Amino acid sequence: MSDVAIKLNNIGKKYQLTDEKRTLIKSVFTPHKKPKEVWALKNINLEIKRGETIGIIGENGSGKSTLLKLIAGITSPTKGSIKVNGTVGSLIELGAGFHPDLTGRENVYLNGTLLGFTRRDLDKKYREIVDFADIGEYINQPIRTYSSGMIMRLGFAVAINLDPDILLIDEVLAVGDENFQKKCLDVMKLLGQQSISIIFITHNSNLIEAYTHRCYFMNKGIIIAEGSSKKIISKYRLFMNAKKNI
Amino acid sequence: MGKDLNIIYLKDLLVMLTVKELKARYKSTYFGFLWAFINPLLQMIILSIVFKFFFRIQVENYSIFLFSGLLPWMFFSLSLTSGTSTLIDNRDILKKVVFPREILPLSAISANFVNFAASMVIFILVLAIFGFINFNQIIFLPIAIVLQLVLTLGIVLLTSALNIVYRDVAYIIQAGLILWFYVSPIFYPLSFVPEKFANLYSLNPTVGIIGLYHYSVIGQDFPSTLAISASFVFSLALCLIGLLVFEKKKANFADYV
């Protein structure tokens, strides 16, 4: 395997803005009106080596999440090329496919399968996942009886046990009680020491400083600065302060 | 392990989503699966009464004739309705994770297929007990089922991919199904269709399929070559078109939901 985990080459992502949902009947009978377009990402170049932990910082709406969606493969770019070596795990959206009427166990299998496990993989990992989630006998209850913290923990436990080569992390760490948060951060540190590449997005500059070596600063869909986390964070703080003072 | 799309993984994913669909549907009902059987049974009884006693329709074993067409029709119509909106209904997972998108329309169909297959088995067992089943005819049943599955899959691939962009496709399908029911030989036999229109009528792909069901279950006349060919050609063509459209659109499904 090459030592580049992710390479984005001149990526652009365009979205169409429509005020109302389009209908087939209307589009057949009325002349085609060009919908408003907006570029959520422009000219993004980014390279991450294997085993590297990097951060992406920026305000809400700066394009961070769109970028992660492209890397995860949930949507495709309008322009440019993406190269991803290895499997991508994501802690952005936890508990995909969770159904309230199914038990914790059934949901672990459903969610795990959607994330790429086979049934056999899950049989092997099941104990580990349940132990990590730490929800006791509730595992055989429908998850509509769970607290929201318990649901998040269960989702997190499945995702973290996927053994990905590349891990995308959003600010999900804010979930659960303090004990669980510590557990998650420990796992993250552990993963960072292995050959896993981690992309961490947040607008919390303290977390970036504590966990990443290198960082990208995004604003309005473009990368405006890149470099060592220390340098970038101070730039980011200056930028935010300047904004506040206007 | 991981995201390599081997056949075992695809099978596991399909089974998992199908079971979820069925469990979610029946978990809060008392009779569970039986509803899937009661529904066509009730329709059959009502239609039987109306056509036998009000219209005095002259068809041998009319109730059995009716049921052998109604069961596949309900499978068809339920698959089209739930399949068309399956991408929207599962927007949550579409936006969150990457998996082969084709699994969603497939699982919408397979969940309905489980119900259909179970109903069909019960129906045929009952008929067999009363001596209705003829082995030389029933061997055509798998052909009817495969043909219907290909047609259903083709339409659902097409309509689900369109419905994610144009939300009225689901309504068009609902209205279309009502019309389609009346131009399919379900509550009347093929011989009722005026000679003048027989060829035109046979171009409808469900004519050959329902005809095959009628032949294999109750030994009605074998459908015409034209009807059978039309079913084959349209089913395959629709499946191809559906697949092409779906494959072209699938990379950006997450942007529309």
Side-chain angles (χ1 to χ4, degrees), chain A residues 2 10 113 193:
Chain A
S2 84
N10 217 3
T113 315
Q193 285 156 10

Side-chain angles (χ1 to χ4, degrees), chain B residues 3-249:
Chain B
K3 303 251 169 181
D4 47 327
L5 300 179
N6 57 56
I7 206 80
I8 296 174
Y9 172 66
L10 290 178
K11 186 211 79 195
D12 284 353
L13 184 57
L14 181 61
V15 170
M16 199 59 76
L17 285 172
T18 306
V19 170
K20 175 208 141 190
E21 183 97 16
L22 290 171
K23 268 193 188 149
R25 199 184 294 174
Y26 294 122
K27 206 139 201 176
S28 47
T29 61
Y30 191 66
F31 288 127
F33 150 76
L34 272 184
W35 282 113
F37 192 72
I38 291 171
N39 217 335
L41 197 66
L42 279 179
Q43 270 214 41
M44 186 267 275
I45 291 169
I46 301 274
L47 285 172
S48 279
I49 292 171
V50 170
F51 284 102
K52 246 178 166 161
F53 298 113
F54 297 2
F55 286 88
R56 321 254 157 133
I57 196 165
Q58 296 300 316
V59 175
E60 228 184 309
N61 297 319
Y62 183 66
S63 305
I64 302 174
F65 167 83
L66 199 56
F67 205 55
S68 61
L70 261 182
L71 274 183
W73 175 262
M74 292 199 76
F75 165 48
F76 183 64
S77 120
L78 286 172
S79 298
L80 256 55
T81 337
S82 62
T84 300
S85 58
T86 184
L87 296 177
I88 310 274
D89 294 341
N90 290 290
R91 55 161 65 103
D92 171 52
I93 57 175
L94 219 47
K95 276 200 292 203
K96 285 182 174 180
V97 276
V98 187
F99 62 97
R101 302 320 204 190
E102 294 81 1
I103 287 292
L104 284 178
L106 269 176
S107 67
I109 295 172
S110 64
N112 286 306
F113 183 72
V114 171
N115 285 335
F116 166 64
S119 305
M120 206 67 189
V121 168
I122 296 173
F123 179 49
I124 286 176
L125 281 179
V126 171
L127 286 184
I129 290 168
F130 289 99
F132 273 99
I133 297 298
N134 179 330
F135 180 76
N136 290 329
Q137 290 159 3
I138 201 82
I139 49 173
F140 283 90
L141 187 63
I143 301 178
I145 292 175
V146 169
L147 212 49
Q148 183 180 2
L149 282 173
V150 174
L151 178 68
T152 311
L153 182 63
I155 298 176
V156 167
L157 281 173
L158 180 68
T159 56
S160 61
L162 285 178
N163 191 50
I164 206 168
V165 185
Y166 305 108
R167 296 302 165 88
D168 58 340
V169 172
Y171 301 111
I172 297 172
I173 285 296
Q174 273 171 27
L177 277 169
I178 295 173
L179 299 180
W180 207 343
F181 176 78
Y182 288 98
V183 294
S184 303
I186 295 163
F187 64 93
Y188 54 87
L190 216 54
S191 55
F192 279 31
V193 180
E195 196 86 31
K196 261 202 311 203
F197 303 115
N199 282 347
L200 182 67
Y201 183 86
S202 298
L203 290 179
N204 172 3
T206 58
V207 171
I209 292 171
I210 302 279
L212 275 176
Y213 278 106
H214 283 151
Y215 173 75
S216 53
V217 176
I218 56 158
Q220 228 205 4
D221 287 344
F222 199 79
S224 71
T225 319
L226 178 66
I228 296 281
S229 328
S231 299
F232 264 99
V233 171
F234 282 122
S235 300
L236 283 175
L238 271 167
C239 204
L240 204 67
I241 295 170
L243 203 59
L244 284 175
V245 173
F246 196 92
E247 293 304 301
K248 194 168 167 255
K249 298 265 177 207

Side-chain angles (χ1 to χ4, degrees), chain A:
Chain A
M1 211 191 268
S2 84
D3 65 318
V4 175
I6 299 170
K7 191 170 166 59
L8 300 191
N9 206 346
N10 217 3
I11 290 294
K13 175 72 184 175
K14 185 170 72 177
Y15 282 108
Q16 293 183 344
L17 296 179
T18 40
D19 313 333
E20 51 191 88
K21 295 277 173 230
R22 288 155 73 188
T23 64
L24 190 60
I25 290 177
K26 203 172 153 199
S27 59
V28 167
F29 289 109
T30 56
H32 189 62
K33 244 191 353 199
K34 239 187 145 154
K36 252 190 250 163
E37 288 169 344
V38 59
W39 286 90
L41 292 174
K42 276 172 292 189
N43 304 320
I44 300 287
N45 290 292
L46 181 148
E47 191 179 294
I48 296 154
K49 300 226 167 6
R50 250 153 62 78
E52 201 180 9
T53 299
I54 66 133
I56 297 175
I57 198 160
E59 294 174 279
N60 284 332
S62 59
K64 299 183 307 254
S65 300
T66 307
L67 189 61
L68 286 202
K69 267 190 199 154
L70 287 172
I71 293 171
I74 289 166
T75 181
S76 64
T78 318
K79 256 175 60 180
S81 69
I82 298 182
K83 245 205 178 126
V84 176
N85 288 317
T87 57
V88 182
S90 139
L91 301 183
I92 312 169
E93 304 271 17
L94 298 173
F98 273 8
H99 193 285
D101 285 336
L102 302 182
T103 66
R105 186 192 159 82
E106 289 168 330
N107 273 307
V108 165
Y109 274 86
L110 179 60
N111 179 237
T113 315
L114 282 168
L115 289 174
F117 286 115
T118 62
R119 220 194 140 76
R120 271 186 56 191
D121 293 332
L122 283 163
D123 287 337
K124 275 186 243 157
K125 301 236 173 210
Y126 181 68
R127 225 26 292 156
E128 225 174 304
I129 292 171
V130 173
D131 286 345
F132 191 93
D134 195 20
I135 50 178
E137 285 158 31
Y138 271 98
I139 195 71
N140 290 316
Q141 297 295 320
I143 65 165
R144 66 179 137 77
T145 63
Y146 289 22
S147 70
S148 56
M150 284 162 75
I151 294 178
M152 289 298 258
R153 253 151 55 199
L154 194 62
F156 193 89
V158 181
I160 205 82
N161 280 293
L162 182 63
D163 298 335
D165 302 311
I166 298 157
L167 194 59
L168 311 178
I169 304 178
D170 204 339
E171 287 162 309
V172 284
L173 296 173
V175 304
D177 52 26
E178 226 169 283
N179 245 337
F180 191 73
Q181 267 184 39
K182 194 176 167 308
K183 208 160 154 186
C184 297
L185 289 171
D186 287 348
V187 169
M188 218 182 103
K189 244 188 187 150
L190 202 73
L191 290 173
Q193 285 156 10
Q194 297 165 7
S195 63
I196 295 174
S197 316
I198 299 180
I199 302 182
F200 191 24
I201 70 166
T202 178
H203 42 240
N204 182 337
S205 49
N206 296 327
L207 281 176
I208 292 270
E209 239 177 346
Y211 286 97
T212 69
H213 319 292
R214 201 156 63 83
C215 175
Y216 290 86
F217 178 7
M218 289 188 74
N219 189 39
K220 294 188 177 144
I222 54 173
I223 292 174
I224 53 173
E226 183 229 327
S228 78
S229 296
K230 235 188 180 139
K231 216 173 78 190
I232 298 297
I233 292 302
S234 57
K235 259 192 193 159
Y236 177 71
R237 287 186 178 137
L238 276 174
F239 176 85
M240 293 305 282
N241 280 336
K243 228 179 156 175
K244 239 183 265 164
N245 293 337
I246 298 173

